[in-house]
Amino acid sequence: MTWEDRSGRIDHAAPLLLWSQVAGDMRADIVSGRLASGVRVPSELALAEIYGVARVTVHRAIAELVSENLLTVVRGRGTFVALSS
Amino acid sequence: MTWEDRSGRIDHAAPLLLWSQVAGDMRADIVSGRLASGVRVPSELALAEIYGVARVTVHRAIAELVSENLLTVVRGRGTFVALSS
DNA sequence: GATGATTTGTGCGTATGTATC
DNA sequence: CGATACATACGCACAAATCAT
């Protein structure tokens, strides 16, 4: 799994909310298995740079995926792909 | 001090500006002493939900009370009832 | 054990676009 | 058109938990 620049996948002028676009992009990698269970994803700050959005926007996207049981967050440690996915 | 739903105290059709109505409602709690000095008030987002208005509207109301030395704002921490009140 | 860096949690400050009157 | 209000998003700041040194 590579985490290079993904800013091109985000359309700041699209009707879809930014955090929804980020969540959708990350969700695709999880459900496809490209992101294996238990793997740690980059920090919110790193993801913000990767997607070219604000950290708060990434935070909302992660919160959405957590509510879908696709991600697990541990304060002070990081964010991980959920085990049950 | 309770912070339950206060949307009924705001009249969106009244001639008074919304932020002025919110400021007036909060001011009453401060000058009466129901809100003690140093106490932290709910976040702007929480107050927005409590009053049923936008966060920006609460922000303006707080700015008004700050100018009256009734509230003190600490960026990154929250909003508190001024000590000298 | 202590200290500082990292990471998430959350708050305020502000800008932009849109809707309504 | 201008004023008010709302939603979204970005930026910066502080708190708390964790980890490396």
Side-chain angles (χ1 to χ4, degrees):
Chain A
M1 189 67 224
T2 61
W3 289 102
E4 300 153 353
D5 176 49
R6 295 189 172 191
S7 59
R9 305 183 186 182
I10 305 300
D11 182 0
H12 289 249
L16 265 177
L17 300 185
L18 285 188
W19 66 261
S20 178
Q21 295 182 47
V22 173
D25 191 78
M26 294 181 69
R27 185 188 300 108
D29 285 329
I30 298 174
V31 299
S32 71
R34 287 191 293 275
L35 271 177
S37 286
V39 167
R40 181 176 175 283
V41 302
S43 71
E44 295 184 351
L45 193 59
L47 287 171
E49 295 174 354
I50 289 168
Y51 282 102
V53 299
R55 194 198 131 196
V56 176
T57 301
V58 171
H59 188 70
R60 287 183 185 173
I62 290 176
E64 167 64 23
L65 298 180
V66 166
S67 73
E68 299 174 9
N69 293 313
L70 293 178
L71 288 178
T72 301
V73 176
V74 183
R75 184 175 182 176
R77 288 193 58 206
T79 302
F80 308 82
V81 178
L83 298 181
S84 60
S85 68
Chain B
M1 188 68 221
T2 62
W3 288 102
E4 299 154 353
D5 177 49
R6 296 190 170 189
S7 59
R9 305 184 187 182
I10 305 300
D11 182 0
H12 288 250
L16 263 178
L17 300 185
L18 286 188
W19 66 262
S20 178
Q21 294 181 49
V22 174
D25 191 77
M26 295 182 68
R27 184 188 299 109
D29 285 329
I30 298 174
V31 298
S32 71
R34 288 191 292 276
L35 271 177
S37 286
V39 168
R40 183 177 173 285
V41 303
S43 71
E44 295 184 350
L45 190 60
L47 287 171
E49 295 174 355
I50 289 169
Y51 282 102
V53 299
R55 192 198 132 195
V56 177
T57 301
V58 171
H59 187 70
R60 288 182 185 172
I62 289 176
E64 167 62 24
L65 298 180
V66 167
S67 75
E68 299 174 8
N69 293 312
L70 293 178
L71 288 178
T72 302
V73 175
V74 182
R75 185 173 180 177
R77 289 192 57 206
T79 303
F80 307 81
V81 178
L83 299 182
S84 59
S85 68

